[in-house]
Amino acid sequence: MKTATPIDSLAVREIGTVEGRIVSITVEPRDAAPQLTARIDDGTGRLDAVFMGRREIAGIEPGARVSVTGRVSETETSLCLYNPSFELR
């Protein structure tokens, strides 16, 4: 994977790599389109890694250390990466 960038230094619409700890997981209800969101904290900020079409991914759980790479997007509440590539640390 590429060298990690602190979350507070990421640029929207650029490709970014973040390494941090998963602090929470959100899964959409069964009656909605499958989506798993992992909130990652690296000590400088938080970012959501959104995995469309998935309800679970082995090893992606609170407390896990992970590196994610993808195009940085911005929602009303946070920065996010949609369907990032990832590596468990």
Side-chain angles (χ1 to χ4, degrees):
M1 289 244 152
K2 298 179 181 181
T3 303
T5 301
I7 291 172
D8 67 355
S9 298
L10 290 173
V12 176
R13 292 188 285 259
E14 297 292 327
I15 302 293
T17 298
V18 171
E19 187 173 324
R21 189 163 309 283
I22 297 173
V23 294
S24 67
I25 297 286
T26 304
V27 179
E28 292 299 318
R30 289 278 177 208
D31 60 344
Q35 177 178 307
L36 180 142
T37 302
R39 177 148 298 164
I40 300 168
D41 187 316
D42 73 349
T44 69
R46 290 186 173 188
L47 169 135
D48 290 337
V50 181
F51 298 93
M52 309 296 287
R54 309 286 295 266
R55 292 199 194 280
E56 62 182 68
I57 300 172
I60 299 294
E61 58 190 34
R65 190 148 185 80
V66 67
S67 176
V68 292
T69 300
R71 186 160 310 273
V72 180
S73 300
E74 188 173 32
T75 66
E76 293 176 6
T77 58
S78 66
L79 293 176
C80 62
L81 301 176
Y82 288 98
N83 291 322
S85 59
F86 69 94
E87 184 177 303
L88 296 170
R89 297 291 179 167

